[in-house]
């Protein structure tokens, strides 16, 4: 059986997906990165090996996410791509005529505008994380409810309260105030969902031409309350794909397939054994010039696999 | 006087040299580092923009190194930066530093004040003064010419790293050159060297870089955006070069010739009002880039910069009307490069796909 592997190493989670040649998802995984990307990737690969059919042959591999370069070196990737492209490719696979992709992850949120199968515009959140998953996690924990119940609770709201959504710190104090006034938890949660959506549309989505079909993906898409708030604000139906949480990895796998089929090359994938190899990541300051670049070095035993971070290229 | 001034790209050694020639000791500002920003953010108002914070941090560092006079630019029009030297002076004095602040105002409407400020610096005879000014102008001119070439050659160089090294050599050599003739010879030699760098034969994607002047000119304030685009094989054209700016604001403006008029007329259909800083230029340059066949434009916005915020809210319309993709990068205290690289990469991807669709070969 032939498959393509996609790995998305983000700030909060590391996602892996294996697709068949026809683009069907065979297996996917969601692991917390917990600040240790190498460990997360290795554990992911190890778990995949257990769960995949024994006769699987990985024809191509690709990495994306903020640690895509590191991940690419560790597993031997054929393609290393940014997550905007990966997410767009995955959304187009699910809804071929998609024109807007809303993506909200742990710390990043993005909007991607697609026309006729090509990304024509995009934006990512800049200096503020008020509209992202980490903030929701934090508020759920503070209210003592499971993040999984967030959406169902929001649906029970009768009169959502208004919460200032511009800044997560102010949103929190606004929420506390509304709580102390005696508003019900569902009303507060529904209000929070609306605030988050408002913030997203005013910041990330500012000036963007949002047209249906709209696909909503990323970890926060699990939250029915946010989906409903988007539907209300945009006055259109929102599609949440079945594997909304691992769309970056799915996109990466699709990109790997595209690359391998185009070039007819052998994959660079180092095999499932990479889960057992000892990798060493270290860094040093180059003293070659006044730039004092911090150079990162990835070693397997004593062999240097890759170096980066130097501006002039002398260490690469 | 032990003079210091803001650090700005490759220009810093030239200014050190000029002040030395005018008969002063100089404390050359160090390249903005993590410490510079730490100091700046510690003592600057939280809502102030990145340039104010970097400059304030630089001043603290140089005052610690023994400087007792700071030279910086003022400004006219509705941008807070015009008042920054006053604010910085107050903050620094409250920290207990003793120094003189010299604000060099643009000649427009401040001619007498400018002359008065300049007179305070000159400690040498007129002939030497003339020589110092002419040599400095030539140095700046060659640095700009060579940097323009560097931005053009670097995306295409076969041996990676050649252009960056050559650029740094050029700046060091130009710094060492004393006379007008030496500067000219060194400058010409490096232009020749750049033209001899082995390059790939292809038509790279072309991106215009616009925005607030300090973050456009100082690479450490903009995540080395041009170098990073170059490394992705993309030609990046910087919309601001100091020699252009000085030419327009100091000389021609004083003679009542207004070359900026052209850029303003380009901006006019979208923005017909002075919004301060480089706000109008940002719109005008975008129109110009679109008309000269550029693939895209990147706007560099210091967080809370009013002129650039005004421009940013107008840019989507310019982008739509003229069919040129625009991406804004907001610059603040964050120093994580990964997020910026992701945005740049995605933007370059978008531009490459657009070009492919329009039937040309991908870059």
């Amino acid at each position: 059986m032939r498959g393509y592997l996609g790995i998305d190493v983000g700030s909060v989670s590391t996602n892996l997906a294996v697709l068949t040649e026809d683009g069907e998802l065979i297996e996917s995984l969601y692991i917390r990165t917990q600040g240790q990307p190498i460990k997360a990737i290795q554990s992911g690969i190890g778990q995949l090996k257990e769960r995949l059919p024994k006769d699987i042959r990985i024809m191509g591999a690709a990495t994306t996410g903020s640690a895509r370069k590191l991940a690419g070196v560790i597993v031997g990737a054929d393609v290393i791509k940014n997550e905007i492209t990966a997410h767009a490719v995955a959304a187009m696979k699910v809804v071929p005529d998609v024109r807007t992709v809303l993506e909200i992850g742990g710390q990043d949120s993005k909007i991607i505008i697609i026309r006729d199968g090509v990304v024509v515009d995009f934006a990512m959140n800049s200096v503020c994380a008020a509209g992202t998953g980490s903030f929701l996690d934090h508020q759920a924990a503070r209210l003592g409810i499971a993040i999984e119940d967030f959406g169902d609770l929001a649906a029970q709201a009768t009169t959502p309260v208004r919460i200032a959504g511009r800044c997560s710190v102010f949103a929190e104090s606004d929420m506390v105030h509304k709580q102390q006034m005696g508003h019900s938890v569902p009303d507060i949660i529904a209000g929070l969902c609306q605030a988050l959506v408002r913030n997203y549309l005013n910041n990330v989505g500012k000036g963007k031409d949002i047209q249906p079909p709209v696909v909503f993906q990323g970890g926060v898409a699990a939250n029915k309350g946010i989906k409903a708030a988007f539907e209300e604000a945009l006055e259109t139906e929102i599609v949440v794909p079945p594997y909304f949480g691992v769309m970056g990895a799915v996109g990466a796998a699709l990109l790997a397939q595209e690359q391998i089929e185009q070039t007819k090359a052998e994959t660079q994938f180092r095999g499932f054994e990479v889960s057992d190899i000892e990798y060493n990541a270290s860094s040093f300051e180059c003293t070659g010039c006044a730039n004092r670049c911090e150079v990162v070095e990835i070693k397997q035993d004593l062999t240097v696999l890759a170096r980066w971070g130097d501006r002039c290229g002398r260490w690469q | 006087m032990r003079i210091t001034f803001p650090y700005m790209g490759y220009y810093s050694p030239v200014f050190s040299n000029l002040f030395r020639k005018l008969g002063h000791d100089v404390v050359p500002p160090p390249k903005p580092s993590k410490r510079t920003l730490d100091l700046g953010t510690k003592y600057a108002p939280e809502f102030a923009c990145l340039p104010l914070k970097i400059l304030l941090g630089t001043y603290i560092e140089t005052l610690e190194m023994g400087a007792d006079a700071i030279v910086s630019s003022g400004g006219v029009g509705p941008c807070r930066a015009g008042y920054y030297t006053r604010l910085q002076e107050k903050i620094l004095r409250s920290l207990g530093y003793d120094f003189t602040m010299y604000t060099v105002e643009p000649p427009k409407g401040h001619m007498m004040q400018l002359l008065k400020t300049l007179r305070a610096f000159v400690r040498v005879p007129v002939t030497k003064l003339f020589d110092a000014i002419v040599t400095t102008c030539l140095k700046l001119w060659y640095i700009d010419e060579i940097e323009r070439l560097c931005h053009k050659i670097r995306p295409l160089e076969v041996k990676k790293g050649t252009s960056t090294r050559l650029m740094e050599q050029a700046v060091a050599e130009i710094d060492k050159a004393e006379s007008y003739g030496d500067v000219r010879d060194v400058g010409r030699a490096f232009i020749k060297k750049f033209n001899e760098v082995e390059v790939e034969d292809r038509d790279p994607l072309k991106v215009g870089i616009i925005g607030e002047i300090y973050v456009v000119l100082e690479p450490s304030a903009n995540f080395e955006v041009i170098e990073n685009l170059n490394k992705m094989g993309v030609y990046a054209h910087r919309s601001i070069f100091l020699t252009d700016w000085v030419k327009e604001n100091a000389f021609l403006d004083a003679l009542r010739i207004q070359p900026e008029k052209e850029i303003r007329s380009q901006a006019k259909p979208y923005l017909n009002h002075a919004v301060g800083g480089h706000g109008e230029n940002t719109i005008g340059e975008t129109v110009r880039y679109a008309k000269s066949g550029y693939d895209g434009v990147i706007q560099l916005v210091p967080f809370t910069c009013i002129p650039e915020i005004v421009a940013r809210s107008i840019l989507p319309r310019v982008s739509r009307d003229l069919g040129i993709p625009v991406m804004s990068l907001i610059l603040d205290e964050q120093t994580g490069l990964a997020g910026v690289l992701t945005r740049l990469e995605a933007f370059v991807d978008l531009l490459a796909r657009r070009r492919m669709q329009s039937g040309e070969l991908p870059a």
Side-chain angles (χ1 to χ4, degrees):
Chain A
M1 189 184 202
R2 293 168 164 204
Y4 290 92
L5 169 67
I7 306 177
D8 177 0
V9 190
S11 54
V12 176
S13 69
T14 295
N15 309 320
L16 297 93
V18 178
L19 305 185
T20 65
E21 283 169 299
D22 307 322
E24 297 291 321
L25 190 81
I26 308 174
E27 196 60 71
S28 72
L29 260 184
Y30 174 102
I31 298 167
R32 294 250 162 194
T33 310
Q34 292 181 316
Q36 300 184 52
I38 299 182
K39 223 170 131 188
I41 297 159
Q42 287 187 302
S43 123
I45 297 273
Q47 289 181 46
L48 264 188
K49 190 186 170 187
E50 300 298 312
R51 291 159 68 162
L52 283 167
K54 289 283 164 258
D55 63 334
I56 190 88
R57 215 178 117 208
I58 299 296
M59 305 299 293
T63 58
T64 185
S66 43
R68 58 187 175 282
K69 203 164 169 181
L70 181 69
V73 171
I74 301 283
V75 300
D78 302 298
V79 181
I80 299 175
K81 262 289 179 216
N82 64 82
E83 47 271 39
I84 302 270
T85 308
H87 275 284
V89 166
M92 281 188 269
K93 180 79 184 176
V94 180
V95 181
D97 61 342
V98 60
R99 296 210 283 174
T100 308
V101 180
L102 316 172
E103 199 271 347
I104 306 185
Q107 287 194 352
D108 268 341
S109 53
K110 23 184 142 12
I111 186 165
I112 309 170
I113 306 294
I114 299 172
R115 296 289 180 269
D116 306 317
V118 175
V119 176
V120 293
D121 198 4
F122 70 86
M124 287 174 81
N125 60 333
S126 47
V127 284
C128 174
T132 59
S134 302
F135 174 58
L136 282 179
D137 264 350
H138 177 66
Q139 294 314 326
R142 214 180 54 77
L143 291 167
I145 52 173
I147 186 77
E148 292 76 25
D149 302 334
F150 222 80
D152 293 325
L153 275 170
Q156 294 166 18
T158 47
T159 43
V161 297
R162 187 173 171 86
I163 290 168
R166 176 180 306 183
C167 164
S168 58
V169 178
F170 293 152
E172 183 168 324
S173 54
D174 219 17
M175 265 175 66
V176 173
H177 179 69
K178 296 279 153 84
Q179 254 178 298
Q180 307 298 64
M181 296 284 286
H183 290 279
S184 75
V185 170
D187 282 351
I188 292 174
I189 289 178
L192 188 62
C193 291
Q194 288 178 355
L196 195 144
V197 163
R198 206 162 47 231
N199 182 47
Y200 174 93
L201 292 174
N202 284 339
N203 277 300
V204 186
K206 185 182 172 193
K208 302 291 174 220
D209 190 18
I210 300 175
Q211 298 283 342
V214 180
V215 170
F216 179 26
Q217 56 200 41
V220 174
N223 193 317
K224 290 182 207 128
I226 302 281
K227 178 178 180 251
F230 267 126
E231 284 179 331
E232 198 191 316
L234 295 173
E235 294 174 358
T236 181
E237 195 204 334
I238 306 277
V239 183
V240 175
Y243 316 111
F244 59 83
V246 292
M247 290 296 270
V250 168
L254 291 167
L255 285 164
Q257 185 181 9
E258 189 188 281
Q259 165 91 1
I260 293 293
E261 282 176 358
Q262 258 175 29
T263 58
K264 311 249 180 290
E266 274 290 307
T267 181
Q268 303 288 311
F269 181 54
R270 294 155 59 95
F272 289 101
E273 298 76 54
V274 297
S275 62
D276 306 320
I277 295 173
E278 185 83 17
Y279 288 102
N280 272 313
S282 59
S283 66
F284 60 90
E285 197 182 77
C286 172
T287 50
C289 75
N291 284 329
R292 302 266 161 164
C293 299
E294 261 179 36
V295 184
V296 176
E297 187 177 74
I298 308 293
K299 270 189 186 165
Q300 176 188 337
D301 300 325
L302 289 171
T303 329
V304 176
L305 291 179
R307 288 197 188 105
W308 60 76
D310 47 333
R311 280 172 63 190
C312 67
R314 66 185 283 193
W315 293 102
Q316 288 172 19
Chain B
M1 272 199 294
R2 286 170 62 77
I3 292 187
T4 193
F5 51 89
Y7 187 95
M8 209 151 77
Y10 292 119
Y11 300 126
S12 305
V14 184
F15 288 122
S16 296
N17 189 280
L18 171 68
F19 288 122
R20 259 183 225 121
K21 281 199 168 165
L22 294 179
H24 302 282
D25 283 341
V26 174
V27 179
K31 189 177 170 145
S33 62
K34 191 177 161 289
R35 177 158 189 267
T36 317
L37 195 56
D38 282 349
L39 288 169
T41 48
K42 186 170 173 190
Y43 297 112
E46 181 271 332
F47 53 81
C49 64
L50 187 65
L52 177 123
K53 294 176 184 176
I54 294 179
L55 262 47
L56 185 66
T58 302
Y59 298 155
I60 295 176
E61 286 180 305
T62 45
L63 288 170
E64 279 174 359
M65 288 153 72
D68 61 10
I70 299 171
V71 183
S72 188
S73 65
V76 286
C79 161
R80 294 180 293 181
Y83 193 65
Y84 277 178
T85 48
R86 292 286 141 257
L87 180 60
Q88 285 159 339
E89 187 178 352
K90 277 196 164 201
I91 296 170
L92 292 170
R93 285 208 190 289
S94 74
L95 294 175
Y97 292 106
D98 187 27
F99 61 97
T100 320
M101 178 72 100
Y102 292 98
T103 311
V104 182
E105 297 287 352
K108 200 177 186 175
H110 296 273
M111 202 55 183
M112 287 319 287
Q113 206 179 330
L114 176 70
L115 291 176
K116 224 173 106 187
T117 313
L118 292 182
R119 244 185 63 194
F121 293 124
V122 183
R123 293 253 174 105
V124 289
V126 177
T127 47
K128 275 200 172 168
L129 169 70
F130 183 75
D131 176 60
I133 290 175
V134 169
T135 319
T136 300
C137 288
L138 193 71
K139 283 186 175 189
L140 292 176
W141 189 81
Y142 270 115
I143 285 179
D144 278 355
E145 277 306 294
I146 293 170
E147 197 172 8
R148 269 196 200 99
L149 260 176
C150 176
H151 297 165
K152 218 177 216 164
I153 306 274
R154 191 161 46 197
L156 300 173
E157 66 189 9
V158 173
K159 196 163 168 281
K160 300 293 163 206
T162 314
S163 310
T164 307
R165 257 197 299 274
L166 213 49
M167 182 73 218
E168 263 147 33
Q169 276 170 20
V171 175
E173 293 285 322
I174 289 175
D175 181 34
K176 268 188 257 163
E178 280 297 322
S179 73
Y180 187 88
D182 287 351
V183 176
R184 191 191 51 209
D185 292 347
V186 171
R188 281 183 183 164
F190 273 97
I191 287 178
K192 192 159 166 274
K193 276 188 193 170
F194 260 107
N195 284 320
E196 283 164 359
V197 172
E198 194 189 342
V199 290
E200 295 162 20
D201 181 27
R202 62 180 172 87
D203 183 20
L205 288 169
K206 286 185 288 187
V207 174
I209 306 292
I210 53 172
E212 190 275 333
I213 183 166
Y214 187 80
V215 297
V216 167
L217 288 181
E218 175 44 42
S220 69
N222 66 28
F223 295 95
E224 281 97 19
V225 67
I226 292 180
E227 199 178 322
N228 281 312
L229 283 167
N230 286 171
K231 281 182 181 166
M232 296 175 191
V234 176
Y235 168 45
H237 181 273
R238 205 169 78 189
S239 60
I240 309 171
F241 279 90
L242 202 58
T243 41
D244 298 341
W245 190 86
V246 172
K247 195 171 71 192
E248 287 165 12
N249 283 276
F251 296 113
L252 300 180
D253 217 40
L255 301 170
R256 310 231 174 277
I257 304 169
Q258 293 183 323
E260 279 207 333
K261 234 179 165 176
E262 195 246 326
I263 208 73
R264 265 184 230 137
S265 74
Q266 299 276 20
K268 213 171 170 182
Y270 301 98
L271 177 60
N272 189 17
H273 193 278
V275 294
H278 276 69
E280 281 170 284
N281 298 58
T282 289
I283 302 294
E285 299 281 2
T286 304
V287 174
R288 197 145 78 177
Y289 282 129
K291 287 181 179 166
S292 2
Y294 273 70
D295 296 279
V297 168
I298 294 178
Q299 183 202 16
L300 301 177
V301 187
F303 189 51
T304 74
C305 169
I306 304 216
E308 294 302 327
I309 290 171
V310 173
R312 188 184 174 211
S313 52
I314 298 169
L315 280 174
R317 227 190 97 202
V318 184
S319 166
R320 219 167 22 242
D321 285 3
L322 303 175
I324 186 162
V326 179
M327 178 171 75
S328 300
L329 274 187
I330 297 180
L331 304 163
D332 199 34
E333 291 164 35
Q334 283 103 332
T335 48
L337 181 62
V340 174
L341 286 183
T342 297
R343 286 160 177 82
L344 290 180
E345 233 187 272
F347 191 62
V348 169
D349 252 15
L350 179 164
L351 302 181
R353 296 238 171 191
R354 263 173 67 101
R355 231 201 226 187
M356 256 199 284
Q357 261 205 337
S358 70
E360 282 175 61
L361 282 172

